[in-house]
Amino acid sequence: MSLSILTSAMPDGVVEIAPRGEIDVDTAHEVREAVAAVLTKSRPARIQLNMRLVSFIDSVGISAMVAGFQTAEVSGVKLVVTEPSRFVHRQLWVTGLLGLFGAPEPYYAGASAGTPEVQSAGG
């Protein structure tokens, strides 16, 4: 599966970056580049990395998120994660990075169709 990224300006000077798909060794650079592109164009009040439609993230993807956080911080911009998929939430929790990104609650698809959420027993 590939990765697509949608960047949207929201009210109150917030920019949302919404990746969709898998963030791994082949696509992680796209997340870093999306954050850098936002910061090149403007200095938003906050960058929201909406991870609701991310079905998989590996250690390289997590590293790209941390790099994006650091790049934003150097520019005086807060980067937070919003609506992480259960998989992303678990990876951030396991790595001890959940708090760095604002300690977001996991997104639960509920009855929504077409989301990449995977239901698992015992988790």
Side-chain angles (χ1 to χ4, degrees):
M1 177 180 234
S2 62
L3 180 71
S4 62
I5 299 177
L6 178 63
T7 302
S8 310
M10 300 176 69
D12 301 328
V14 174
V15 172
E16 181 180 78
I17 299 173
R20 178 184 190 128
E22 297 179 358
I23 303 174
D24 58 21
V25 67
D26 294 324
T27 60
H29 68 279
E30 295 179 41
V31 174
R32 285 192 312 271
E33 291 166 2
V35 172
V38 167
L39 295 171
T40 298
K41 293 178 190 173
S42 67
R43 291 289 180 266
R46 184 174 72 241
I47 296 173
Q48 293 182 176
L49 195 55
N50 186 318
M51 303 293 281
R52 179 171 53 103
L53 298 176
V54 174
S55 56
F56 175 82
I57 188 165
D58 67 6
S59 61
V60 178
I62 296 287
S63 294
M65 289 175 61
V66 172
F69 176 88
Q70 292 170 334
T71 300
E73 187 174 58
V74 166
S75 298
V77 177
K78 179 77 172 169
L79 185 144
V80 298
V81 168
T82 60
E83 299 183 334
S85 66
R86 289 178 21 182
F87 188 87
V88 170
H89 186 270
R90 177 166 284 174
Q91 297 309 311
L92 292 176
W93 182 78
V94 166
T95 58
L97 294 172
L98 194 59
L100 180 71
F101 294 105
E105 290 296 317
Y107 175 79
Y108 290 101
S112 298
T115 61
E117 296 298 318
V118 176
Q119 302 296 323
S120 61

